[in-house]
Amino acid sequence: MTTEFDIVIVGSGPAGLSAAARAAKRGVNHVLFERTDHASDTIYKYQKKKFVMATPDVLPLQSDMQFAAGVREDILGTWDAGLDEHAVNIRYNAEVTAIEGAKGDFTLTVNGNETVKAKHVIMSIGVQGNLRQLGVDGQDWERVQYQLDDPLEYDGETIVVVGAGDAAIENAIGLTEQNEVIIINRKGEFARAKQGNLNAINGAIENEVIECYFNASPARVEPGLLVLKTPEGEAEVKCDRIIARLGANPPRRFVEACGIKFSSDEPSALPELSAKYESSVEGLYIVGALAGYPLIKQAMNQGFEVVETILGNPVRPADEALLEERFAAIEGMAVGEVLEAIQNNVPLLSHMSRLQLREFMLESRIHRVRPKDIIFERNDFTNSVYSIVDGAVDIQINPNDPNEVVTLRTGAFFGEMGLLSGRRRTATILAHEDSILVETPRRAMLKLISSIDAAKRVIDEAAISRQIQTHLAPNIDPALLEEVVSTATIESFSAGDVMIEEGETTDDVYLIRSGSMMVSRRIGGRDVVLSYIPAGNYVGEMALLTEAPRSATVKATVAAETIKVDAGAFKRLLEREPALKSEIEARFRDRLVQNVEVEERPDSGDIIDFLVNQGLGEATDVLLIDEALCVRCDNCEKACAETHGGKSRLKREAGPTFGTLHVPTSCRHCEHPHCMSDCPADAIHRAPNGEVFIDEKCIGCGNCARDCPYNVIHMAYPPPPKPGLLQWLLLGMGPGPGEDKTPRAKPEGARETATKCDMCKDIAGGPSCVSACPTGAAIRVNPEEFFSITASTKSGRA
Amino acid sequence: MHEGFLVYAGFRYLKVATLLCVAAIAVYAWHSPPDEPNGGTWLGYGLGGIGAAIILLLMWFGVRKRRYGTVSKLQGWLSAHVYLGLSLIIVATLHTGFQFGWNLHTLAYGLMMVVIASGFFGIYAYARYPRLMTENRRGITTEEVYAGIGELDRECRQVASTMPDEIASLVLVSCNETRVGGSIARQLSGHDPDCGTERAFAGIRDLAASAGAEHGGDVRKLISLLGKKSTLLRTMRRDVQLKAMLEIWLYFHVPLSFALLAALVGHVISVFFYW
Ligand SMILES: Cc1cc2nc3c(=O)[nH]c(=O)nc-3n(C[C@H](O)[C@H](O)[C@H](O)COP(=O)(O)OP(=O)(O)OC[C@H]3O[C@@H](n4cnc5c(N)ncnc54)[C@H](O)[C@@H]3O)c2cc1C
Ligand code: HEM
Ligand code: SF4
Ligand code: SF4
């Protein structure tokens, strides 16, 4: 049986639903195919009662289906009602397995046997793909499942979780509360998961809360039994239930089989699309998550737009008004023209598709600056990146002489050093003439770098030469550095990786561009730490100058990136530049003296070692308590609670101690904050002075609390209103000063949010814990300054 | 890197206080009142006024300590508190002109000296005990110690479950009748004469001989577990003791300072009343 439609929509996620509703409303002959027996499977599979967000908040919704932030069940209910209301022709249990043909004459195969004809096809199948199955005999036992809605549904069972990704780990940990849990990992370790989950699972295995079979894979299933293949032979695991979380086969194979081209072979690549969502197959459109728009509201807007496009109606993209507002600073140019100008003028931004650029610009800001306007200042902690759409800016390269500047012109970008190193701005930048700049925040920039290779390359190339110039030889002519720059390469290290080994005979020089390193030497059979070197410094020039083997080992304290400068090129540079050479030699002599001093006082090295292990290698500001001064009055905690709605973000007693130096459990304001890496609501930010803080956009997902390796984020319900001092004294109302006021049980209608130290960024006197310490035991320090006090000065030695 | 409140800002308040004392002594020596020196001369009023102002400032410290999120550091206030408080010894004594008697005036003076003396002990405690606490703790947190004790109790109960009743009941004594802390005297003493664990330890040692050969190994195990528990308890009791030492003096310092305030008010009113 063959039927014919004007528009066939494949997949009933938010994108497909919205497209179908529009088609129905316009009276178009359409059908919507959905693989499962319900609409919108991705959202259907969210956790029960999940609070679904309607981000980006600023973006208006343009759809015949309704959508606002709310609980999963309500949203699905509204959509089912919408399907009825618009009389959408939806067919459930209908998986489209092939699409052939061309515009005006497509043939779709449904469930492998039925075919339908279509003039246009809208593909909105999302990116969830098909769940991978166990693929072993007996897998159809009714207690093998590939999903877990609510871990608390099971009680007192022995459950085997198969898999090593985030989903498997989260399920396994969630189940331990009421069940015996066994996890099966095909590999020897958990490597694919996010840091927070890694810590959790490794901890659970260590404490024997979860039993783990490493290097094991399922061989067959019998009711009540899972047989494993292990390196030692077969193993039998008795169980009441098997939950396999093996990920999904991405839909790419299917999409490519339909003739659609992707932008590259990278797993993260997207299908090639026109500005109207048309794929490389004319008449076949792609919208929603598969088109690269991972949020519900975007998907719905696109579903609406694409139908209007097919019908030949002019569409105004939902974000048009927003972009107009964004671009208000540039008078007399339409949105399209501004986007055009940006792509033509700025190579860094030219590789994005027009759709990607629109979204990028929604997150960015356009500035119009006049000559001498300050764009940012040296030592600011901001980390946005600027591109010059038109005009020029001056970089003050010499802090002591504001007149010594380098000018960047149209098409250049700047500010990437703060982004890459996670440290303070290294120079002040002012407008040179009337200019138009695009300022892009950290998150949008990181997304650009990670999703578009060409952009990453452009950034890296410029960054290498600028970093070498800034940190090695700020005052010499960039032309002289050409050889050094062109032979330089970027190397990455994980925490603990050795970059230079004592005794080896290499002589390259390294510039640390992010993270930090620790220098140590073996003395009397023991590693003695000589110094700590933060980003922005170089190491390794000692061997080059002395032509002797490496005198010390250099190790990454945290994940780090270095620029490796070729020894030959560097030597030739020094030959040509005697002034630079003598400067470097002078630094090198200072260092020798310091090394000797440290070797005579090895305990100062031990302190560095201890502190680096406490994460100070990546800290920008850390609370340290001298226990010889601390009278245990806990006024610091009380001050924190009093200034932060009754909940202290600091635990004075918890945390390790070395000698009398105590590192309490409190935020280190990391250079590259782990907590920021996975916040879906983009609620975590870095303030200009470096404070990492969480704003009111937090949706309480708890990712940050899991991702922070130092356990300093706590999920808490909002505290009750604070009584006045008199009310408390006279009427006994509410909690008194310094008492923990956060409710333990869930108050009616409340939602947990993440709380952490914000370094009292809004309080004039700085951190309250420090200002409230009566004895001076509590101080907050920047480790860079601190380490230089403990051991030696700035740059490295090896 | 860390700077204690005594050395705060390069001894700024020590300098201020010293200057104040030296000036007070110099003026006192130079000044020759018509009759003997006393609070009623212009110098007496001057010193009295300064002294009263300082006392009010010192009292204000208690309020300031509870104002959080301030611009200035509490550390500076404590530094000033200590040095200006000490300077009162000179300032107030000169104010009296060494005229003492059984009256309200001398009571105020006496109270002040007692408050200062207790403050002195406070300084001593603050200088000495924090370091001892750290050494005693050996890097273990309170929570870890209590978790360790809980774990040892669990092991003891497990071992005891197969042992004769007298021994099992002694283990229960250890588990249920061991307390850390208690009354102030108990806290300050640093040990507990009636400690359940000590009693169980002694009892089991006495019973060891009569317990029968088949229980020999288990008895030794219990003794070793209880020994470990005693060590942890000693650490905790010492911790409580040191913490109490850090606080106890404030229970004199603060109430007496309020008594002083009352006496001071009385002193001032009576002076003006009789005038
Ligand atoms: C755990 C989680 C939480 C999220 N939270 C939020 C949030 O709070 N807010 C937000 O805005 N976004 C959130 N998202 C993202 C959001 O769910 C997706 O961006 C959105 O669902 C994408 O919509 P879509 O229409 O493109 O595809 P999907 O919603 O994935 O829909 C695809 C549909 O196509 C069907 N299908 C697939 N293949 C075929 C085929 N061959 N034939 C027929 N049918 C097929 C599927 O069964 C499915 O119903 C979250 C995502 C996840 C995984
Ligand atoms: C007449 C003189 C003094 C008065 C009226 C006075 C009063 C006070 C008051 C009201 C407090 C507040 C305590 C609290 O609220 O917790 C205090 C604390 C304190 N005083 Fe004094 N004081 C005096 C002299 C001194 C002297 C001479 C010293 C030291 C030599 C001293 C050392 C301290 C210390 C160390 C604290 C505790 C700080 C803390 O940990 O919070 N005082 N005093
Ligand atoms: S919360 Fe944790 S990860 Fe985030 S900045 Fe602070 S210490 Fe670093
Ligand atoms: S819990 Fe943390 S990660 Fe999640 S939204 Fe809030 S701040 Fe972001």
Side-chain angles (χ1 to χ4, degrees):
Chain A
M1 182 187 87
T2 306
T3 347
E4 219 181 298
F5 298 96
D6 287 338
I7 299 182
V8 171
I9 301 142
V10 186
S12 69
L17 285 175
S18 174
R22 178 86 298 220
K25 190 131 192 208
R26 287 282 189 187
V28 178
N29 176 20
H30 72 282
V31 65
L32 167 59
F33 288 119
E34 167 55 46
R35 177 171 66 188
T36 61
D37 66 1
H38 46 257
S40 200
D41 190 44
T42 302
I43 285 116
Y44 186 87
K45 282 192 180 138
Y46 286 175
Q47 230 174 40
K48 294 213 172 90
K49 299 273 172 200
K50 172 182 153 75
F51 190 81
V52 182
M53 303 298 293
T55 30
D57 297 335
V58 286
L59 187 69
L61 178 72
Q62 181 168 261
S63 173
D64 302 299
M65 286 282 182
Q66 287 169 22
F67 173 58
V71 180
R72 165 190 173 271
E73 284 70 9
D74 297 342
I75 289 170
L76 290 173
T78 320
W79 288 347
D80 283 338
L83 284 171
D84 287 346
E85 183 194 326
H86 298 294
V88 170
N89 180 22
I90 181 166
R91 277 192 51 199
Y92 296 105
N93 299 313
E95 176 167 10
V96 173
T97 47
I99 305 175
E100 288 161 337
K103 186 170 179 172
D105 184 28
F106 286 105
T107 306
L108 291 88
T109 312
V110 181
N111 291 334
N113 48 33
E114 180 191 342
T115 54
V116 294
K117 292 265 179 202
K119 296 208 175 96
H120 307 270
V121 177
I122 298 171
M123 197 188 253
S124 49
I125 58 172
V127 289
Q128 300 307 110
N130 295 322
L131 292 179
R132 288 205 188 95
Q133 309 222 312
L134 276 179
V136 297
D137 284 348
Q139 65 166 339
D140 26 302
W141 177 36
E142 77 268 11
R143 288 190 161 192
V144 175
Q145 62 193 60
Y146 297 95
Q147 206 200 329
L148 175 66
D149 287 333
D150 180 7
L152 298 182
E153 224 172 274
Y154 306 105
D155 195 353
E157 297 190 6
T158 301
I159 302 179
V160 179
V161 177
V162 186
D166 287 309
I169 296 174
E170 280 165 22
N171 286 176
I173 299 220
L175 286 166
T176 52
E177 259 183 53
Q178 304 185 356
N179 306 281
E180 289 292 316
V181 181
I182 301 160
I183 191 165
I184 313 292
N185 185 350
R186 208 155 42 85
K187 301 250 174 67
E189 58 179 314
F190 290 89
R192 276 190 291 125
K194 351 185 237 251
Q195 194 58 42
N197 280 332
L198 277 185
N199 298 347
I201 188 76
N202 289 331
I205 294 172
E206 209 162 284
N207 299 330
E208 299 177 13
V209 176
I210 291 181
E211 187 184 347
C212 180
Y213 284 86
F214 287 106
N215 298 313
S217 51
R220 63 178 188 281
V221 178
E222 288 163 22
L225 188 72
L226 173 66
V227 181
L228 295 175
K229 266 198 303 263
T230 71
E232 293 86 41
E234 288 204 339
E236 296 193 343
V237 184
K238 286 212 175 64
C239 56
D240 303 314
R241 187 176 301 281
I242 299 175
I243 299 180
R245 299 306 304 257
L246 304 168
N249 286 317
R252 178 162 179 170
R253 280 261 292 283
F254 169 64
V255 177
E256 281 182 325
C258 300
I260 295 165
K261 289 207 193 76
F262 278 69
S263 59
S264 80
D265 285 337
E266 295 273 310
S268 58
L270 300 169
E272 280 178 12
L273 294 184
S274 75
K276 303 278 182 207
Y277 313 108
E278 194 165 13
S279 73
S280 55
V281 176
E282 209 187 330
L284 204 169
Y285 297 80
I286 297 182
V287 287
L290 182 61
Y293 295 84
L295 292 169
I296 294 169
K297 210 195 273 174
Q298 295 167 328
M300 295 182 74
N301 285 343
Q302 292 174 354
F304 177 96
E305 284 170 31
V306 77
V307 170
E308 290 294 310
T309 305
I310 292 174
L311 296 179
N313 298 331
V315 266
R316 195 177 141 83
D319 58 10
E320 187 82 2
L322 288 170
L323 284 176
E324 262 164 22
E325 204 180 297
R326 282 285 132 110
F327 296 169
I330 311 171
E331 289 131 31
M333 270 169 101
V335 167
E337 289 166 340
V338 178
L339 294 174
E340 182 91 25
I342 293 174
Q343 289 210 298
N344 288 342
N345 292 0
V346 186
L348 176 66
L349 309 181
S350 66
H351 303 275
M352 275 181 275
S353 74
R354 192 47 73 79
L355 293 171
Q356 284 170 318
L357 183 66
R358 290 186 85 97
E359 188 177 316
F360 183 86
M361 289 309 300
L362 275 183
E363 291 186 57
S364 303
R365 294 181 47 188
I366 289 224
H367 300 281
R368 168 155 230 159
V369 287
R370 311 251 163 255
K372 300 280 167 232
D373 281 358
I374 293 178
I375 297 158
F376 57 70
E377 288 190 81
R378 193 176 136 80
N379 287 339
D380 276 0
F381 236 125
T382 47
N383 46 21
S384 52
V385 173
Y386 292 79
S387 315
I388 310 177
V389 180
D390 185 38
V393 300
D394 288 332
I395 306 178
Q396 294 181 348
I397 51 173
N398 183 345
N400 303 320
D401 178 7
N403 292 322
E404 208 174 310
V405 296
V406 167
T407 304
L408 296 179
R409 302 194 175 277
T410 303
F413 59 90
F414 56 92
E416 81 293 348
M417 295 230 266
L419 176 78
L420 295 174
S421 69
R423 302 186 140 252
R424 294 175 186 277
R425 300 281 196 199
T426 51
T428 298
I429 297 193
L430 319 128
H432 178 87
E433 55 189 43
D434 275 348
S435 312
I436 295 174
L437 309 175
V438 173
E439 178 186 2
T440 310
R442 170 189 151 101
R443 182 154 120 140
M445 209 61 210
L446 290 178
K447 195 156 112 197
L448 171 69
I449 297 175
S450 67
S451 59
I452 296 187
D453 284 344
K456 180 174 167 55
R457 234 174 301 122
V458 173
I459 286 250
D460 272 347
E461 272 163 26
I464 289 182
S465 87
R466 286 184 197 167
Q467 284 164 335
I468 290 181
Q469 171 99 46
T470 311
H471 298 300
L472 213 51
N475 305 325
I476 72 172
D477 178 3
L480 286 171
L481 289 175
E482 218 162 81
E483 189 196 356
V484 170
V485 169
S486 66
T487 50
T489 49
I490 295 178
E491 296 193 346
S492 315
F493 300 88
S494 306
D497 282 359
V498 171
M499 180 172 76
I500 296 176
E501 182 99 54
E502 187 176 343
E504 85 189 2
T505 50
T506 52
D507 53 3
D508 299 309
V509 175
Y510 296 84
L511 179 64
I512 304 172
R513 75 167 195 168
S514 74
S516 57
M517 298 269 168
M518 199 164 66
V519 181
S520 62
R521 187 179 291 170
R522 268 198 101 66
I523 298 172
R526 203 170 83 89
D527 283 325
V528 174
V529 175
L530 297 180
S531 60
Y532 155 90
I533 312 170
N537 292 289
Y538 53 92
V539 267
E541 83 294 352
M542 244 164 153
L544 185 98
L545 291 172
T546 56
E547 313 232 328
R550 298 289 190 186
S551 59
T553 294
V554 183
K555 256 199 290 202
T557 60
V558 289
E561 272 188 341
T562 56
I563 298 176
K564 177 171 163 182
V565 177
D566 177 69
F570 194 60
K571 264 186 221 161
R572 283 188 286 280
L573 171 68
L574 295 190
E575 294 311 316
R576 266 180 313 212
E577 282 296 306
L580 181 62
K581 182 168 184 182
S582 53
E583 189 192 317
I584 287 185
E585 275 172 344
R587 262 191 254 181
F588 158 73
R589 273 191 303 276
D590 289 350
R591 222 168 268 179
L592 273 183
V593 174
Q594 285 146 7
N595 281 1
V596 171
E597 278 172 8
V598 177
E599 280 170 34
E600 280 166 5
R601 296 178 291 125
D603 45 322
S604 70
D606 290 348
I607 293 184
I608 299 184
D609 197 25
F610 162 74
L611 290 174
V612 161
N613 284 330
Q614 300 317 317
L616 271 72
E618 59 178 330
T620 63
D621 192 287
V622 67
L623 181 62
L624 293 178
I625 292 183
D626 183 351
E627 289 200 337
L629 287 172
C630 170
V631 296
R632 288 23 176 211
C633 64
D634 281 337
N635 216 32
C636 46
E637 278 189 21
K638 287 178 200 145
C640 186
E642 276 301 300
T643 48
H644 294 89
K647 170 89 185 160
S648 174
R649 283 99 208 272
L650 130 84
K651 292 206 182 118
R652 192 220 10 111
E653 201 202 332
T657 308
F658 181 87
T660 61
L661 193 60
H662 177 65
V663 188
T665 299
S666 164
C667 179
R668 282 107 163 104
H669 301 275
C670 304
E671 287 174 348
H672 295 282
H674 306 270
C675 52
M676 265 191 207
S677 60
D678 202 13
C679 172
D682 194 16
I684 311 184
H685 310 275
R686 162 156 260 154
N689 287 321
E691 306 92 342
V692 174
F693 66 97
I694 301 181
D695 71 16
E696 68 297 330
K697 289 213 295 289
C698 171
I699 56 174
C701 69
N703 282 353
C704 55
R706 276 190 295 277
D707 287 336
C708 168
Y710 309 108
N711 264 327
V712 306
I713 301 187
H714 301 282
M715 305 305 294
Y717 296 110
K722 187 181 140 92
L725 194 61
L726 271 184
Q727 281 171 307
W728 169 67
L729 270 175
L730 303 179
L731 307 174
M733 273 171 61
E739 284 170 48
D740 187 344
K741 297 167 190 122
T742 47
R744 317 243 172 260
K746 179 176 168 138
E748 193 57 37
R751 196 149 46 82
E752 273 190 320
T753 52
T755 58
K756 75 178 277 296
C757 161
D758 59 2
M759 254 205 299
C760 296
K761 68 183 175 64
D762 301 323
I763 296 174
S768 304
C769 47
V770 172
S771 59
C773 175
T775 64
I779 56 169
R780 273 201 162 270
V781 286
N782 164 349
E784 201 170 329
E785 291 160 13
F786 162 62
F787 281 124
S788 63
I789 300 169
T790 340
S792 48
T793 54
K794 283 228 190 152
S795 34
R797 61 243 54 193
Chain B
M1 184 178 38
H2 283 91
E3 182 191 63
F5 61 95
L6 292 177
V7 299
Y8 177 78
F11 295 101
R12 178 190 301 160
Y13 293 104
L14 173 60
K15 289 174 191 159
V16 171
T18 313
L19 212 68
L20 181 63
C21 292
V22 170
I25 293 172
V27 178
Y28 187 88
W30 163 82
H31 177 63
S32 44
D35 17 278
E36 11 172 20
N38 66 47
T41 65
W42 65 263
L43 178 63
Y45 278 122
L47 288 173
I50 293 175
I54 290 179
I55 289 178
L56 291 179
L57 189 78
L58 301 186
M59 291 299 294
W60 186 251
F61 178 81
V63 175
R64 176 59 186 72
K65 187 179 164 185
R66 288 164 185 80
R67 296 238 162 125
Y68 300 109
T70 49
V71 174
S72 63
K73 285 190 175 180
L74 187 63
Q75 188 194 5
W77 279 79
L78 182 56
S79 192
H81 182 95
V82 167
Y83 289 120
L84 292 179
L86 288 175
S87 76
L88 282 177
I89 302 177
I90 305 280
V91 173
T93 307
L94 294 181
H95 164 71
T96 64
F98 302 96
Q99 299 206 334
F100 302 108
W102 294 107
N103 53 31
L104 180 66
H105 317 299
T106 305
L107 173 68
Y109 179 81
L111 279 170
M112 184 198 78
M113 293 309 272
V114 180
V115 171
I116 294 176
S118 66
F120 234 121
F121 177 79
I123 295 302
Y124 169 78
Y126 279 17
R128 182 170 157 75
Y129 298 129
R131 188 179 287 276
L132 292 182
M133 281 183 87
T134 299
E135 284 167 7
N136 173 53
R137 277 284 194 79
R138 303 182 302 275
I140 322 169
T141 63
T142 315
E143 272 165 40
E144 283 165 352
V145 175
Y146 285 122
I149 291 178
E151 180 62 18
L152 289 169
D153 277 349
R154 202 183 55 77
E155 284 180 48
C156 286
R157 272 196 300 264
Q158 203 174 350
V159 175
S161 62
T162 59
M163 307 211 24
D165 280 355
E166 315 89 299
I167 295 195
S169 62
L170 280 171
V171 166
L172 280 187
V173 167
S174 155
C175 293
N176 298 338
E177 293 174 27
T178 303
R179 301 273 174 280
V180 173
S183 67
I184 292 187
R186 175 79 30 100
Q187 290 186 26
L188 284 172
S189 76
H191 48 84
D192 179 356
D194 195 31
C195 171
T197 302
E198 299 303 334
R199 273 186 286 147
F201 191 77
I204 290 176
R205 219 180 26 211
D206 292 345
L207 287 173
S210 59
E214 76 275 23
H215 295 305
D218 282 348
V219 168
R220 272 196 299 282
K221 200 158 169 193
L222 272 184
I223 289 185
S224 127
L225 288 173
L226 290 174
K228 278 189 205 151
K229 187 173 164 191
S230 292
T231 314
L232 288 183
L233 286 172
R234 253 198 311 283
T235 302
M236 271 343 277
R237 292 200 173 112
R238 173 87 171 129
D239 194 64
V240 168
Q241 177 190 31
L242 290 168
K243 183 91 200 289
M245 296 292 267
L246 276 174
E247 283 171 2
I248 183 75
W249 65 276
L250 270 173
Y251 289 91
F252 296 91
H253 193 73
V254 178
L256 285 173
S257 72
F258 276 96
L260 160 62
L261 188 66
L264 182 68
V265 171
H267 161 67
V268 171
I269 290 176
S270 71
V271 164
F272 284 97
F273 187 74
Y274 286 117
W275 195 30

